[in-house]
Amino acid sequence: MLQAKHLLADKGHEIFSIGPAAPVLEALNLMAQRSVGALLVIDGEVLVGIVSERDYARNIVLKGRSSATTAVNEIMGTGLITVGPDDTVDHCMRLCTNERVRYLPVLEEGRTIGVLSIGDLVKAVISEQTEQIEQLQRYIAG
């Protein structure tokens, strides 16, 4: 069974983050540069939240606020759902579905070691299912 650590080994442990006091506009620019939909919000070395394009749309655009003068910590999500490196892809998928989140920070001994998106999880499930189908086809044909 695939685990979070296996997905991170394939995709890498690079973490895109921003500080809580940074302006939202800076977060948007970083998301655009990195082609990601969310950034972890890290204060020093402590994970304190996550800010996404959805947070921007709902808390800046729809409320008529300025992304240049609003700090990330004013719109970020703080009720973080996290996983550990040994958590299975199936468990991670269930968390994303049940908790309605798109990103899961991966923590090991309180330290952020990566982040998995729902896209990473779906890709892993499809790959695993494709492999199983191919094995079954070979077994049947063999």
Side-chain angles (χ1 to χ4, degrees), residues 31-49:
M31 283 186 246
Q33 289 170 1
R34 300 297 189 178
S35 297
V36 295
L39 299 171
L40 297 183
V41 182
I42 298 179
D43 191 4
E45 292 187 21
V46 178
L47 176 64
V48 294

Side-chain angles (χ1 to χ4, degrees), residues 35-109:
S35 297
V36 295
L39 299 171
L40 297 183
V41 182
I42 298 179
D43 191 4
E45 292 187 21
V46 178
L47 176 64
V48 294
I50 189 165
V51 64
S52 69
E53 294 166 332
R54 183 179 284 181
D55 294 323
Y56 167 73
R58 291 181 179 175
N59 296 301
I60 298 292
V61 175
L62 292 178
K63 293 181 180 177
R65 297 168 77 184
S66 167
S67 57
T69 59
T70 303
V72 167
N73 63 3
E74 294 179 50
I75 69 163
M76 70 182 187
T78 57
L80 293 174
I81 307 296
T82 64
V83 295
D86 294 327
D87 284 321
T88 65
V89 168
D90 187 50
H91 173 74
C92 294
M93 287 287 287
R94 273 198 218 98
L95 277 176
C96 285
T97 302
N98 295 341
E99 301 296 331
R100 305 187 85 147
V101 296
R102 295 174 182 225
Y103 304 95
L104 292 172
V106 183
L107 303 180
E108 185 172 45
E109 298 177 8

Side-chain angles (χ1 to χ4, degrees), residues 2-14 85 113-114 116:
L2 282 176
Q3 296 172 313
K5 63 185 170 191
H6 300 129
L7 272 60
L8 290 178
D10 286 342
K11 92 174 243 184
H13 292 265
E14 189 169 18
I113 62 167
L116 297 175

